[in-house]
Amino acid sequence: MQTECNKGAGQGMCILVQKSETIDPNDWQHFYATIEGFEYEPGFFQKVELREDIIPQNEVPADAANIKFTMIRQIEKVADPIWEIDGEWVVQKLLGEEIDQQGQLPTVIINLNEMRVSGTNGCNNYAGSIKFISSDTFTTGPMASTRKMCMEMTLPDLFDKLFFIPWNYELTSDTFFIKDKDGKELMILKR
């Protein structure tokens, strides 16, 4: 997975890596360097063998690392189940209640390629970054939103209150269950 990271001179995209035989969902680390011969493929875990070469200090460009990483071979490539949440979802229930609204339903559009989330709360459009995602947790970063006042603001206000907090989730083939950290169901979304 790629995520935003601070690369010293500013924000950039880093891949997340683990240096182990098995995947621990809580042990991802930012990898700031490039890997010669390796191409990041969204939606897949790739197990690779790398070679690390130390570059002599007098040959290292200013502000560059003194280690060069080269991919020797790809050992394994499997689909990342997190990518099943990528795409557009429509909110069906909030706090266990079916949404009974004549107008626009809240939507959540998750774009894991760009680590962005956007949609509508039923009145206003919003967009922002995904700060953190794992196989069962999701946290958004800063958001921007339009500020229209609609005739009925109860649903949009409740959506905003529930969506813009860290949450846990479960996924079935076409249903996305959003829960708080204690397991209480906040929303149900469908494709």
Side-chain angles (χ1 to χ4, degrees), residues 7-190:
K7 288 190 149 187
Q11 290 292 103
M13 295 300 285
C14 292
I15 58 173
L16 296 176
V17 300
Q18 291 188 21
K19 294 180 180 181
S20 64
E21 286 297 315
T22 59
I23 296 173
D24 178 349
N26 302 312
D27 192 29
W28 293 104
Q29 299 171 15
H30 287 107
F31 191 80
Y32 301 95
T34 58
I35 302 169
E36 188 174 296
F38 174 79
E39 187 173 326
Y40 168 72
E41 290 185 63
F44 292 94
F45 290 119
Q46 296 184 62
K47 185 186 281 189
V48 297
E49 182 179 351
L50 300 180
R51 184 179 72 232
E52 296 181 24
D53 296 313
I54 304 295
I55 302 169
Q57 196 62 37
N58 62 339
E59 296 176 21
V60 178
D63 295 333
N66 69 336
I67 299 175
K68 176 183 174 188
F69 296 92
T70 306
M71 185 170 95
I72 297 172
R73 67 185 175 106
Q74 181 179 67
I75 298 167
E76 182 179 28
K77 178 176 151 184
V78 295
D80 180 353
I82 288 175
W83 281 77
E84 293 177 18
I85 71 168
D86 194 65
E88 184 169 355
W89 299 88
V90 178
V91 178
Q92 304 294 307
K93 288 185 179 183
L94 288 173
L95 296 177
E97 298 289 324
E98 292 278 341
I99 296 178
D100 182 25
Q101 179 169 326
Q102 301 300 320
Q104 187 176 31
L105 293 175
T107 61
V108 177
I109 302 168
I110 297 172
N111 182 332
L112 293 179
N113 274 326
E114 298 177 8
M115 289 298 284
R116 309 277 307 155
V117 64
S118 61
T120 177
N121 66 5
C123 176
N124 288 288
N125 297 326
Y126 64 88
S129 63
I130 297 171
K131 187 174 174 183
F132 176 80
I133 187 167
S134 72
S135 61
D136 63 354
T137 58
F138 188 99
T139 306
T140 59
M143 290 284 164
S145 175
T146 58
R147 300 293 296 161
K148 296 185 293 186
M149 179 59 88
C150 296
M151 291 295 288
E152 177 54 55
M153 290 299 294
T154 306
L155 176 65
D157 289 344
L158 180 57
F159 175 85
D160 289 349
K161 179 181 173 189
L162 299 176
F163 185 74
F164 300 113
I165 60 172
W167 38 263
N168 296 334
Y169 71 88
E170 289 179 26
L171 192 65
T172 64
S173 60
D174 69 341
T175 307
F176 190 6
F177 300 91
I178 297 177
K179 302 177 179 192
D180 70 12
K181 61 181 171 57
D182 299 320
K184 179 182 174 189
E185 184 181 285
L186 302 176
M187 294 184 217
I188 296 179
L189 301 89
K190 297 259 187 191

